[in-house]
Amino acid sequence: MRLLVTGASGLLGLNLALETAGLHDVIGVCRRALASTPFESRQTDLLEAGAIGRVLEAVRPAAVVHCAAAADLDLCERYPEIARRINAEVPGQMASECSLRNIRLVHISTDAVFDGLKDGSYSETDEPRPGGVYATTKYAGEQAVLQANPYAIVARVNFYGWSLSGGRSLGEFFVENLSRGAAVRGFTDVTFCPTFVNDLVEALIRLLESELRGTYHVVGPEAMSKYEFGVAIARKFGYDESLISPQSVEEFGLAARRPHNLGLLTDKLSTDLGISLPDFSTGLDKFHQQFLRGFPQQIQSYQQASPAAIGKPGSSVSGLPREGS
Ligand SMILES: NC(=O)c1ccc[n+]([C@@H]2O[C@H](COP(=O)([O-])OP(=O)(O)OC[C@H]3O[C@@H](n4cnc5c(N)ncnc54)[C@H](OP(=O)(O)O)[C@@H]3O)[C@@H](O)[C@H]2O)c1
């Protein structure tokens, strides 16, 4: 399958492109060139007028996984207009351009479309109540996609893994700090369903190959707090878990509000696709195995030479806390 992956320098897009490159004809779209990837990459700013149509015409993919986004919650608060364009407008354009050309589309959304106030986990039938610029624009993106292309998949996700910058995921945050004995805080009142990125990739490809359509929760089966996630990482990697102090997110003073409970139910995915994502310990084990094999260094070796987008939403070099943190 000829597969176009947008956001191919991002945490999800790069892992997806790397994992599928041997199986499919993968073309990654990035704003900046990547170095020596095992897949073809094309430099495109998706915010440029006509860019989406041009890239689809040039590549002629059978399918698109649209991962590009402004995924930094706090930067989205600072640059709401850019966030609206990349998170809401671009997905709608992508969906309609794919629909015109009969291209299968999986659009990546987020668990953060929910307000996190529910007592219990959210299903796809729960009404999203996004708060803040990131969540609001991502939800608008979901709606734009399904309106323009009802055959598309919208996947609500939350994941961890190794990234190009080495600092993109919450898993990397804990490993990086704990490995050098640095004390960190872990939120006890933010619950999510962490998914190892390669497990997510497998599920996304299965969805892509299916004839399903509409919204799916594609997350790991276990909900836990970010503090518990950090402790699990410390134990797996053999770090001192007492370096992680439990803390309320409300005391932290982040620009964008974090929902408290982002537990998602995945029954729809299991019923319709016949799969469940592996349990948390299996994913964590694979994350650790990659670490032992030197995968973090390998993935960072694809780093672009000259970062041109520092400080912009979507930049992986802003150093600010991102979704997942
Ligand atoms: N990380 C999580 O746990 C999490 C949780 C829930 C949902 N999500 C969703 O999952 C998807 C992937 O997230 P991620 O964590 O992989 O994000 P990421 O690491 O921040 O990557 C975002 C990607 O989008 C690209 N991008 C941004 N603006 C662009 C533009 N104008 N033109 C072309 N490309 C552009 C970025 O390119 P540059 O490298 O040039 O900036 C980067 O490749 C997003 O839809 C996000 O909302 C993520």
mmCIF file with all atom_site columns, all heavy atoms in Angstrom, residues 7 9-12 31-32 45-46 68-69 108 134 138 157-159 168 314 322-323, ligand 1:
data_model
loop_
_atom_site.group_PDB
_atom_site.id
_atom_site.type_symbol
_atom_site.label_atom_id
_atom_site.label_alt_id
_atom_site.label_comp_id
_atom_site.label_asym_id
_atom_site.label_entity_id
_atom_site.label_seq_id
_atom_site.pdbx_PDB_ins_code
_atom_site.Cartn_x
_atom_site.Cartn_y
_atom_site.Cartn_z
_atom_site.occupancy
_atom_site.B_iso_or_equiv
_atom_site.pdbx_formal_charge
_atom_site.auth_seq_id
_atom_site.auth_comp_id
_atom_site.auth_asym_id
_atom_site.auth_atom_id
_atom_site.pdbx_PDB_model_num
ATOM   1   N N   . GLY A 1 7   ? 3.027   14.681 9.567  1.00 0.00 ? 7   GLY A N   1
ATOM   2   C CA  . GLY A 1 7   ? 3.640   14.801 10.903 1.00 0.00 ? 7   GLY A CA  1
ATOM   3   C C   . GLY A 1 7   ? 4.723   13.761 11.099 1.00 0.00 ? 7   GLY A C   1
ATOM   4   O O   . GLY A 1 7   ? 4.923   13.239 12.199 1.00 0.00 ? 7   GLY A O   1
ATOM   5   N N   . SER A 1 9   ? 7.789   13.858 11.371 1.00 0.00 ? 9   SER A N   1
ATOM   6   C CA  . SER A 1 9   ? 8.886   14.131 12.305 1.00 0.00 ? 9   SER A CA  1
ATOM   7   C C   . SER A 1 9   ? 8.392   14.060 13.746 1.00 0.00 ? 9   SER A C   1
ATOM   8   O O   . SER A 1 9   ? 9.165   14.178 14.686 1.00 0.00 ? 9   SER A O   1
ATOM   9   C CB  . SER A 1 9   ? 9.460   15.526 12.042 1.00 0.00 ? 9   SER A CB  1
ATOM   10  O OG  . SER A 1 9   ? 8.410   16.488 12.088 1.00 0.00 ? 9   SER A OG  1
ATOM   11  N N   . GLY A 1 10  ? 7.075   13.861 13.927 1.00 0.00 ? 10  GLY A N   1
ATOM   12  C CA  . GLY A 1 10  ? 6.490   13.861 15.266 1.00 0.00 ? 10  GLY A CA  1
ATOM   13  C C   . GLY A 1 10  ? 6.610   12.503 15.935 1.00 0.00 ? 10  GLY A C   1
ATOM   14  O O   . GLY A 1 10  ? 7.032   11.520 15.327 1.00 0.00 ? 10  GLY A O   1
ATOM   15  N N   . LEU A 1 11  ? 6.212   12.464 17.175 1.00 0.00 ? 11  LEU A N   1
ATOM   16  C CA  . LEU A 1 11  ? 6.315   11.229 17.968 1.00 0.00 ? 11  LEU A CA  1
ATOM   17  C C   . LEU A 1 11  ? 5.564   10.074 17.306 1.00 0.00 ? 11  LEU A C   1
ATOM   18  O O   . LEU A 1 11  ? 6.110   8.989  17.091 1.00 0.00 ? 11  LEU A O   1
ATOM   19  C CB  . LEU A 1 11  ? 5.765   11.504 19.383 1.00 0.00 ? 11  LEU A CB  1
ATOM   20  C CG  . LEU A 1 11  ? 5.654   10.325 20.329 1.00 0.00 ? 11  LEU A CG  1
ATOM   21  C CD1 . LEU A 1 11  ? 6.992   9.662  20.588 1.00 0.00 ? 11  LEU A CD1 1
ATOM   22  C CD2 . LEU A 1 11  ? 5.031   10.790 21.655 1.00 0.00 ? 11  LEU A CD2 1
ATOM   23  N N   . LEU A 1 12  ? 4.316   10.303 16.961 1.00 0.00 ? 12  LEU A N   1
ATOM   24  C CA  . LEU A 1 12  ? 3.539   9.218  16.336 1.00 0.00 ? 12  LEU A CA  1
ATOM   25  C C   . LEU A 1 12  ? 3.945   9.015  14.880 1.00 0.00 ? 12  LEU A C   1
ATOM   26  O O   . LEU A 1 12  ? 4.201   7.889  14.451 1.00 0.00 ? 12  LEU A O   1
ATOM   27  C CB  . LEU A 1 12  ? 2.036   9.535  16.419 1.00 0.00 ? 12  LEU A CB  1
ATOM   28  C CG  . LEU A 1 12  ? 1.120   8.532  15.726 1.00 0.00 ? 12  LEU A CG  1
ATOM   29  C CD1 . LEU A 1 12  ? 1.318   7.123  16.282 1.00 0.00 ? 12  LEU A CD1 1
ATOM   30  C CD2 . LEU A 1 12  ? -0.347  8.958  15.859 1.00 0.00 ? 12  LEU A CD2 1
ATOM   31  N N   . ARG A 1 31  ? 7.648   19.349 7.837  1.00 0.00 ? 31  ARG A N   1
ATOM   32  C CA  . ARG A 1 31  ? 7.983   20.734 7.472  1.00 0.00 ? 31  ARG A CA  1
ATOM   33  C C   . ARG A 1 31  ? 9.472   20.862 7.173  1.00 0.00 ? 31  ARG A C   1
ATOM   34  O O   . ARG A 1 31  ? 9.897   21.695 6.426  1.00 0.00 ? 31  ARG A O   1
ATOM   35  C CB  . ARG A 1 31  ? 7.613   21.676 8.608  1.00 0.00 ? 31  ARG A CB  1
ATOM   36  C CG  . ARG A 1 31  ? 6.188   22.128 8.507  1.00 0.00 ? 31  ARG A CG  1
ATOM   37  C CD  . ARG A 1 31  ? 5.894   23.186 9.508  1.00 0.00 ? 31  ARG A CD  1
ATOM   38  N NE  . ARG A 1 31  ? 6.051   22.721 10.872 1.00 0.00 ? 31  ARG A NE  1
ATOM   39  C CZ  . ARG A 1 31  ? 5.660   23.424 11.919 1.00 0.00 ? 31  ARG A CZ  1
ATOM   40  N NH1 . ARG A 1 31  ? 5.123   24.597 11.764 1.00 0.00 ? 31  ARG A NH1 1
ATOM   41  N NH2 . ARG A 1 31  ? 5.818   22.931 13.132 1.00 0.00 ? 31  ARG A NH2 1
ATOM   42  N N   . ARG A 1 32  ? 10.256  20.025 7.846  1.00 0.00 ? 32  ARG A N   1
ATOM   43  C CA  . ARG A 1 32  ? 11.713  20.090 7.654  1.00 0.00 ? 32  ARG A CA  1
ATOM   44  C C   . ARG A 1 32  ? 12.216  18.729 7.207  1.00 0.00 ? 32  ARG A C   1
ATOM   45  O O   . ARG A 1 32  ? 11.596  17.715 7.487  1.00 0.00 ? 32  ARG A O   1
ATOM   46  C CB  . ARG A 1 32  ? 12.391  20.450 8.973  1.00 0.00 ? 32  ARG A CB  1
ATOM   47  C CG  . ARG A 1 32  ? 12.066  21.841 9.429  1.00 0.00 ? 32  ARG A CG  1
ATOM   48  C CD  . ARG A 1 32  ? 12.410  22.015 10.870 1.00 0.00 ? 32  ARG A CD  1
ATOM   49  N NE  . ARG A 1 32  ? 11.437  21.397 11.734 1.00 0.00 ? 32  ARG A NE  1
ATOM   50  C CZ  . ARG A 1 32  ? 11.667  21.059 12.989 1.00 0.00 ? 32  ARG A CZ  1
ATOM   51  N NH1 . ARG A 1 32  ? 12.862  21.238 13.506 1.00 0.00 ? 32  ARG A NH1 1
ATOM   52  N NH2 . ARG A 1 32  ? 10.732  20.524 13.733 1.00 0.00 ? 32  ARG A NH2 1
ATOM   53  N N   . ASP A 1 45  ? 4.736   22.448 4.154  1.00 0.00 ? 45  ASP A N   1
ATOM   54  C CA  . ASP A 1 45  ? 4.009   23.104 5.238  1.00 0.00 ? 45  ASP A CA  1
ATOM   55  C C   . ASP A 1 45  ? 2.539   23.006 4.888  1.00 0.00 ? 45  ASP A C   1
ATOM   56  O O   . ASP A 1 45  ? 2.075   23.603 3.907  1.00 0.00 ? 45  ASP A O   1
ATOM   57  C CB  . ASP A 1 45  ? 4.449   24.575 5.361  1.00 0.00 ? 45  ASP A CB  1
ATOM   58  C CG  . ASP A 1 45  ? 3.790   25.242 6.565  1.00 0.00 ? 45  ASP A CG  1
ATOM   59  O OD1 . ASP A 1 45  ? 2.727   24.747 7.014  1.00 0.00 ? 45  ASP A OD1 1
ATOM   60  O OD2 . ASP A 1 45  ? 4.336   26.238 7.057  1.00 0.00 ? 45  ASP A OD2 1
ATOM   61  N N   . LEU A 1 46  ? 1.803   22.242 5.661  1.00 0.00 ? 46  LEU A N   1
ATOM   62  C CA  . LEU A 1 46  ? 0.401   21.970 5.334  1.00 0.00 ? 46  LEU A CA  1
ATOM   63  C C   . LEU A 1 46  ? -0.480  23.204 5.454  1.00 0.00 ? 46  LEU A C   1
ATOM   64  O O   . LEU A 1 46  ? -1.634  23.194 5.009  1.00 0.00 ? 46  LEU A O   1
ATOM   65  C CB  . LEU A 1 46  ? -0.135  20.839 6.225  1.00 0.00 ? 46  LEU A CB  1
ATOM   66  C CG  . LEU A 1 46  ? 0.537   19.476 6.020  1.00 0.00 ? 46  LEU A CG  1
ATOM   67  C CD1 . LEU A 1 46  ? 0.064   18.484 7.071  1.00 0.00 ? 46  LEU A CD1 1
ATOM   68  C CD2 . LEU A 1 46  ? 0.246   18.924 4.620  1.00 0.00 ? 46  LEU A CD2 1
ATOM   69  N N   . ALA A 1 68  ? -0.155  15.107 11.684 1.00 0.00 ? 68  ALA A N   1
ATOM   70  C CA  . ALA A 1 68  ? 0.346   16.478 11.899 1.00 0.00 ? 68  ALA A CA  1
ATOM   71  C C   . ALA A 1 68  ? -0.646  17.264 12.735 1.00 0.00 ? 68  ALA A C   1
ATOM   72  O O   . ALA A 1 68  ? -1.860  17.167 12.549 1.00 0.00 ? 68  ALA A O   1
ATOM   73  C CB  . ALA A 1 68  ? 0.559   17.171 10.555 1.00 0.00 ? 68  ALA A CB  1
ATOM   74  N N   . ALA A 1 69  ? -0.110  18.020 13.680 1.00 0.00 ? 69  ALA A N   1
ATOM   75  C CA  . ALA A 1 69  ? -0.974  18.809 14.569 1.00 0.00 ? 69  ALA A CA  1
ATOM   76  C C   . ALA A 1 69  ? -0.121  19.789 15.342 1.00 0.00 ? 69  ALA A C   1
ATOM   77  O O   . ALA A 1 69  ? 1.105   19.684 15.377 1.00 0.00 ? 69  ALA A O   1
ATOM   78  C CB  . ALA A 1 69  ? -1.690  17.866 15.556 1.00 0.00 ? 69  ALA A CB  1
ATOM   79  N N   . ILE A 1 108 ? -5.898  11.487 13.270 1.00 0.00 ? 108 ILE A N   1
ATOM   80  C CA  . ILE A 1 108 ? -5.556  11.281 14.686 1.00 0.00 ? 108 ILE A CA  1
ATOM   81  C C   . ILE A 1 108 ? -6.121  12.401 15.539 1.00 0.00 ? 108 ILE A C   1
ATOM   82  O O   . ILE A 1 108 ? -5.811  13.583 15.333 1.00 0.00 ? 108 ILE A O   1
ATOM   83  C CB  . ILE A 1 108 ? -4.022  11.192 14.872 1.00 0.00 ? 108 ILE A CB  1
ATOM   84  C CG1 . ILE A 1 108 ? -3.412  10.120 13.934 1.00 0.00 ? 108 ILE A CG1 1
ATOM   85  C CG2 . ILE A 1 108 ? -3.691  10.894 16.337 1.00 0.00 ? 108 ILE A CG2 1
ATOM   86  C CD1 . ILE A 1 108 ? -3.921  8.707  14.146 1.00 0.00 ? 108 ILE A CD1 1
ATOM   87  N N   . TYR A 1 134 ? -6.304  23.753 22.587 1.00 0.00 ? 134 TYR A N   1
ATOM   88  C CA  . TYR A 1 134 ? -5.898  22.493 21.950 1.00 0.00 ? 134 TYR A CA  1
ATOM   89  C C   . TYR A 1 134 ? -7.102  21.563 21.773 1.00 0.00 ? 134 TYR A C   1
ATOM   90  O O   . TYR A 1 134 ? -7.402  21.108 20.660 1.00 0.00 ? 134 TYR A O   1
ATOM   91  C CB  . TYR A 1 134 ? -4.810  21.800 22.777 1.00 0.00 ? 134 TYR A CB  1
ATOM   92  C CG  . TYR A 1 134 ? -4.487  20.398 22.305 1.00 0.00 ? 134 TYR A CG  1
ATOM   93  C CD1 . TYR A 1 134 ? -3.776  20.189 21.126 1.00 0.00 ? 134 TYR A CD1 1
ATOM   94  C CD2 . TYR A 1 134 ? -4.917  19.276 23.020 1.00 0.00 ? 134 TYR A CD2 1
ATOM   95  C CE1 . TYR A 1 134 ? -3.497  18.905 20.672 1.00 0.00 ? 134 TYR A CE1 1
ATOM   96  C CE2 . TYR A 1 134 ? -4.636  17.990 22.589 1.00 0.00 ? 134 TYR A CE2 1
ATOM   97  C CZ  . TYR A 1 134 ? -3.929  17.804 21.411 1.00 0.00 ? 134 TYR A CZ  1
ATOM   98  O OH  . TYR A 1 134 ? -3.661  16.533 20.972 1.00 0.00 ? 134 TYR A OH  1
ATOM   99  N N   . LYS A 1 138 ? -8.951  20.478 18.341 1.00 0.00 ? 138 LYS A N   1
ATOM   100 C CA  . LYS A 1 138 ? -8.896  19.068 17.928 1.00 0.00 ? 138 LYS A CA  1
ATOM   101 C C   . LYS A 1 138 ? -10.316 18.529 17.716 1.00 0.00 ? 138 LYS A C   1
ATOM   102 O O   . LYS A 1 138 ? -10.564 17.771 16.778 1.00 0.00 ? 138 LYS A O   1
ATOM   103 C CB  . LYS A 1 138 ? -8.151  18.223 18.973 1.00 0.00 ? 138 LYS A CB  1
ATOM   104 C CG  . LYS A 1 138 ? -6.655  18.442 19.034 1.00 0.00 ? 138 LYS A CG  1
ATOM   105 C CD  . LYS A 1 138 ? -5.903  18.002 17.774 1.00 0.00 ? 138 LYS A CD  1
ATOM   106 C CE  . LYS A 1 138 ? -5.852  16.502 17.585 1.00 0.00 ? 138 LYS A CE  1
ATOM   107 N NZ  . LYS A 1 138 ? -5.040  16.135 16.394 1.00 0.00 ? 138 LYS A NZ  1
ATOM   108 N N   . VAL A 1 157 ? -6.538  9.041  20.686 1.00 0.00 ? 157 VAL A N   1
ATOM   109 C CA  . VAL A 1 157 ? -5.371  8.301  21.165 1.00 0.00 ? 157 VAL A CA  1
ATOM   110 C C   . VAL A 1 157 ? -4.699  9.009  22.334 1.00 0.00 ? 157 VAL A C   1
ATOM   111 O O   . VAL A 1 157 ? -5.002  10.156 22.645 1.00 0.00 ? 157 VAL A O   1
ATOM   112 C CB  . VAL A 1 157 ? -4.351  8.144  20.002 1.00 0.00 ? 157 VAL A CB  1
ATOM   113 C CG1 . VAL A 1 157 ? -4.979  7.450  18.802 1.00 0.00 ? 157 VAL A CG1 1
ATOM   114 C CG2 . VAL A 1 157 ? -3.784  9.498  19.571 1.00 0.00 ? 157 VAL A CG2 1
ATOM   115 N N   . ASN A 1 158 ? -3.756  8.302  22.953 1.00 0.00 ? 158 ASN A N   1
ATOM   116 C CA  . ASN A 1 158 ? -2.801  8.887  23.908 1.00 0.00 ? 158 ASN A CA  1
ATOM   117 C C   . ASN A 1 158 ? -1.657  7.880  24.024 1.00 0.00 ? 158 ASN A C   1
ATOM   118 O O   . ASN A 1 158 ? -1.911  6.702  24.307 1.00 0.00 ? 158 ASN A O   1
ATOM   119 C CB  . ASN A 1 158 ? -3.443  9.137  25.280 1.00 0.00 ? 158 ASN A CB  1
ATOM   120 C CG  . ASN A 1 158 ? -2.606  10.114 26.093 1.00 0.00 ? 158 ASN A CG  1
ATOM   121 O OD1 . ASN A 1 158 ? -1.371  10.064 26.067 1.00 0.00 ? 158 ASN A OD1 1
ATOM   122 N ND2 . ASN A 1 158 ? -3.277  11.002 26.807 1.00 0.00 ? 158 ASN A ND2 1
ATOM   123 N N   . PHE A 1 159 ? -0.451  8.283  23.789 1.00 0.00 ? 159 PHE A N   1
ATOM   124 C CA  . PHE A 1 159 ? 0.618   7.298  23.618 1.00 0.00 ? 159 PHE A CA  1
ATOM   125 C C   . PHE A 1 159 ? 1.957   7.816  24.129 1.00 0.00 ? 159 PHE A C   1
ATOM   126 O O   . PHE A 1 159 ? 2.136   9.017  24.361 1.00 0.00 ? 159 PHE A O   1
ATOM   127 C CB  . PHE A 1 159 ? 0.737   6.931  22.126 1.00 0.00 ? 159 PHE A CB  1
ATOM   128 C CG  . PHE A 1 159 ? 0.855   8.145  21.245 1.00 0.00 ? 159 PHE A CG  1
ATOM   129 C CD1 . PHE A 1 159 ? 2.090   8.673  20.922 1.00 0.00 ? 159 PHE A CD1 1
ATOM   130 C CD2 . PHE A 1 159 ? -0.270  8.791  20.767 1.00 0.00 ? 159 PHE A CD2 1
ATOM   131 C CE1 . PHE A 1 159 ? 2.201   9.807  20.133 1.00 0.00 ? 159 PHE A CE1 1
ATOM   132 C CE2 . PHE A 1 159 ? -0.169  9.933  19.976 1.00 0.00 ? 159 PHE A CE2 1
ATOM   133 C CZ  . PHE A 1 159 ? 1.067   10.443 19.661 1.00 0.00 ? 159 PHE A CZ  1
ATOM   134 N N   . ARG A 1 168 ? 9.797   14.202 23.651 1.00 0.00 ? 168 ARG A N   1
ATOM   135 C CA  . ARG A 1 168 ? 8.435   14.459 23.204 1.00 0.00 ? 168 ARG A CA  1
ATOM   136 C C   . ARG A 1 168 ? 7.371   13.745 24.037 1.00 0.00 ? 168 ARG A C   1
ATOM   137 O O   . ARG A 1 168 ? 6.243   14.193 24.116 1.00 0.00 ? 168 ARG A O   1
ATOM   138 C CB  . ARG A 1 168 ? 8.335   14.071 21.723 1.00 0.00 ? 168 ARG A CB  1
ATOM   139 C CG  . ARG A 1 168 ? 7.001   14.279 21.099 1.00 0.00 ? 168 ARG A CG  1
ATOM   140 C CD  . ARG A 1 168 ? 6.596   15.728 21.147 1.00 0.00 ? 168 ARG A CD  1
ATOM   141 N NE  . ARG A 1 168 ? 5.185   15.905 20.828 1.00 0.00 ? 168 ARG A NE  1
ATOM   142 C CZ  . ARG A 1 168 ? 4.192   15.785 21.685 1.00 0.00 ? 168 ARG A CZ  1
ATOM   143 N NH1 . ARG A 1 168 ? 4.418   15.475 22.938 1.00 0.00 ? 168 ARG A NH1 1
ATOM   144 N NH2 . ARG A 1 168 ? 2.951   15.982 21.311 1.00 0.00 ? 168 ARG A NH2 1
ATOM   145 N N   . GLY A 1 314 ? 3.352   22.907 17.366 1.00 0.00 ? 314 GLY A N   1
ATOM   146 C CA  . GLY A 1 314 ? 3.719   21.776 16.533 1.00 0.00 ? 314 GLY A CA  1
ATOM   147 C C   . GLY A 1 314 ? 5.213   21.562 16.546 1.00 0.00 ? 314 GLY A C   1
ATOM   148 O O   . GLY A 1 314 ? 5.706   20.524 16.161 1.00 0.00 ? 314 GLY A O   1
ATOM   149 N N   . ARG A 1 322 ? 4.089   19.226 26.747 1.00 0.00 ? 322 ARG A N   1
ATOM   150 C CA  . ARG A 1 322 ? 3.208   18.902 25.634 1.00 0.00 ? 322 ARG A CA  1
ATOM   151 C C   . ARG A 1 322 ? 2.078   18.037 26.135 1.00 0.00 ? 322 ARG A C   1
ATOM   152 O O   . ARG A 1 322 ? 2.036   17.643 27.269 1.00 0.00 ? 322 ARG A O   1
ATOM   153 C CB  . ARG A 1 322 ? 3.972   18.081 24.595 1.00 0.00 ? 322 ARG A CB  1
ATOM   154 C CG  . ARG A 1 322 ? 5.220   18.700 24.119 1.00 0.00 ? 322 ARG A CG  1
ATOM   155 C CD  . ARG A 1 322 ? 4.917   19.920 23.269 1.00 0.00 ? 322 ARG A CD  1
ATOM   156 N NE  . ARG A 1 322 ? 5.969   20.002 22.276 1.00 0.00 ? 322 ARG A NE  1
ATOM   157 C CZ  . ARG A 1 322 ? 5.874   19.490 21.060 1.00 0.00 ? 322 ARG A CZ  1
ATOM   158 N NH1 . ARG A 1 322 ? 4.833   18.851 20.679 1.00 0.00 ? 322 ARG A NH1 1
ATOM   159 N NH2 . ARG A 1 322 ? 6.866   19.622 20.216 1.00 0.00 ? 322 ARG A NH2 1
ATOM   160 N N   . GLU A 1 323 ? 1.216   17.668 25.186 1.00 0.00 ? 323 GLU A N   1
ATOM   161 C CA  . GLU A 1 323 ? 0.190   16.689 25.512 1.00 0.00 ? 323 GLU A CA  1
ATOM   162 C C   . GLU A 1 323 ? 0.921   15.451 25.980 1.00 0.00 ? 323 GLU A C   1
ATOM   163 O O   . GLU A 1 323 ? 1.911   15.031 25.411 1.00 0.00 ? 323 GLU A O   1
ATOM   164 C CB  . GLU A 1 323 ? -0.615  16.352 24.275 1.00 0.00 ? 323 GLU A CB  1
ATOM   165 C CG  . GLU A 1 323 ? -1.457  15.133 24.473 1.00 0.00 ? 323 GLU A CG  1
ATOM   166 C CD  . GLU A 1 323 ? -2.896  15.353 24.119 1.00 0.00 ? 323 GLU A CD  1
ATOM   167 O OE1 . GLU A 1 323 ? -3.179  15.601 22.963 1.00 0.00 ? 323 GLU A OE1 1
ATOM   168 O OE2 . GLU A 1 323 ? -3.727  15.264 25.017 1.00 0.00 ? 323 GLU A OE2 1
HETATM 169 N N1  . LIG B 2 .   ? 1.534   12.683 22.239 1.00 0.00 ? 1   LIG B N1  1
HETATM 170 C C1  . LIG B 2 .   ? 0.387   12.230 22.761 1.00 0.00 ? 1   LIG B C1  1
HETATM 171 O O1  . LIG B 2 .   ? 0.360   11.509 23.742 1.00 0.00 ? 1   LIG B O1  1
HETATM 172 C C2  . LIG B 2 .   ? -0.916  12.572 22.099 1.00 0.00 ? 1   LIG B C2  1
HETATM 173 C C3  . LIG B 2 .   ? -2.066  12.363 22.856 1.00 0.00 ? 1   LIG B C3  1
HETATM 174 C C4  . LIG B 2 .   ? -3.301  12.538 22.253 1.00 0.00 ? 1   LIG B C4  1
HETATM 175 C C5  . LIG B 2 .   ? -3.378  12.900 20.921 1.00 0.00 ? 1   LIG B C5  1
HETATM 176 N N2  . LIG B 2 .   ? -2.250  13.137 20.220 1.00 0.00 ? 1   LIG B N2  1
HETATM 177 C C6  . LIG B 2 .   ? -2.396  13.482 18.803 1.00 0.00 ? 1   LIG B C6  1
HETATM 178 O O2  . LIG B 2 .   ? -1.573  12.598 18.062 1.00 0.00 ? 1   LIG B O2  1
HETATM 179 C C7  . LIG B 2 .   ? -1.091  13.252 16.884 1.00 0.00 ? 1   LIG B C7  1
HETATM 180 C C8  . LIG B 2 .   ? 0.406   13.171 16.823 1.00 0.00 ? 1   LIG B C8  1
HETATM 181 O O3  . LIG B 2 .   ? 0.926   13.775 17.997 1.00 0.00 ? 1   LIG B O3  1
HETATM 182 P P1  . LIG B 2 .   ? 2.494   13.797 18.291 1.00 0.00 ? 1   LIG B P1  1
HETATM 183 O O4  . LIG B 2 .   ? 2.635   13.673 19.752 1.00 0.00 ? 1   LIG B O4  1
HETATM 184 O O5  . LIG B 2 .   ? 3.171   12.845 17.393 1.00 0.00 ? 1   LIG B O5  1
HETATM 185 O O6  . LIG B 2 .   ? 2.812   15.311 17.895 1.00 0.00 ? 1   LIG B O6  1
HETATM 186 P P2  . LIG B 2 .   ? 4.231   16.000 17.634 1.00 0.00 ? 1   LIG B P2  1
HETATM 187 O O7  . LIG B 2 .   ? 5.323   15.126 18.103 1.00 0.00 ? 1   LIG B O7  1
HETATM 188 O O8  . LIG B 2 .   ? 4.124   17.383 18.177 1.00 0.00 ? 1   LIG B O8  1
HETATM 189 O O9  . LIG B 2 .   ? 4.264   16.062 16.061 1.00 0.00 ? 1   LIG B O9  1
HETATM 190 C C9  . LIG B 2 .   ? 3.434   16.928 15.352 1.00 0.00 ? 1   LIG B C9  1
HETATM 191 C C10 . LIG B 2 .   ? 3.837   16.845 13.906 1.00 0.00 ? 1   LIG B C10 1
HETATM 192 O O10 . LIG B 2 .   ? 3.021   17.739 13.142 1.00 0.00 ? 1   LIG B O10 1
HETATM 193 C C11 . LIG B 2 .   ? 3.893   18.464 12.274 1.00 0.00 ? 1   LIG B C11 1
HETATM 194 N N3  . LIG B 2 .   ? 3.326   19.759 11.894 1.00 0.00 ? 1   LIG B N3  1
HETATM 195 C C12 . LIG B 2 .   ? 2.898   20.743 12.711 1.00 0.00 ? 1   LIG B C12 1
HETATM 196 N N4  . LIG B 2 .   ? 2.505   21.795 11.980 1.00 0.00 ? 1   LIG B N4  1
HETATM 197 C C13 . LIG B 2 .   ? 2.692   21.453 10.663 1.00 0.00 ? 1   LIG B C13 1
HETATM 198 C C14 . LIG B 2 .   ? 2.491   22.111 9.441  1.00 0.00 ? 1   LIG B C14 1
HETATM 199 N N5  . LIG B 2 .   ? 2.005   23.354 9.378  1.00 0.00 ? 1   LIG B N5  1
HETATM 200 N N6  . LIG B 2 .   ? 2.781   21.460 8.292  1.00 0.00 ? 1   LIG B N6  1
HETATM 201 C C15 . LIG B 2 .   ? 3.289   20.215 8.310  1.00 0.00 ? 1   LIG B C15 1
HETATM 202 N N7  . LIG B 2 .   ? 3.502   19.525 9.455  1.00 0.00 ? 1   LIG B N7  1
HETATM 203 C C16 . LIG B 2 .   ? 3.213   20.151 10.619 1.00 0.00 ? 1   LIG B C16 1
HETATM 204 C C17 . LIG B 2 .   ? 5.155   18.642 13.105 1.00 0.00 ? 1   LIG B C17 1
HETATM 205 O O11 . LIG B 2 .   ? 6.222   19.041 12.290 1.00 0.00 ? 1   LIG B O11 1
HETATM 206 P P3  . LIG B 2 .   ? 7.512   19.806 12.925 1.00 0.00 ? 1   LIG B P3  1
HETATM 207 O O12 . LIG B 2 .   ? 8.415   18.729 13.417 1.00 0.00 ? 1   LIG B O12 1
HETATM 208 O O13 . LIG B 2 .   ? 8.055   20.574 11.787 1.00 0.00 ? 1   LIG B O13 1
HETATM 209 O O14 . LIG B 2 .   ? 7.009   20.696 14.028 1.00 0.00 ? 1   LIG B O14 1
HETATM 210 C C18 . LIG B 2 .   ? 5.294   17.235 13.661 1.00 0.00 ? 1   LIG B C18 1
HETATM 211 O O15 . LIG B 2 .   ? 5.822   16.365 12.701 1.00 0.00 ? 1   LIG B O15 1
HETATM 212 C C19 . LIG B 2 .   ? -1.646  14.678 16.960 1.00 0.00 ? 1   LIG B C19 1
HETATM 213 O O16 . LIG B 2 .   ? -2.825  14.725 16.217 1.00 0.00 ? 1   LIG B O16 1
HETATM 214 C C20 . LIG B 2 .   ? -1.956  14.874 18.422 1.00 0.00 ? 1   LIG B C20 1
HETATM 215 O O17 . LIG B 2 .   ? -2.984  15.818 18.591 1.00 0.00 ? 1   LIG B O17 1
HETATM 216 C C21 . LIG B 2 .   ? -1.011  13.013 20.785 1.00 0.00 ? 1   LIG B C21 1
#
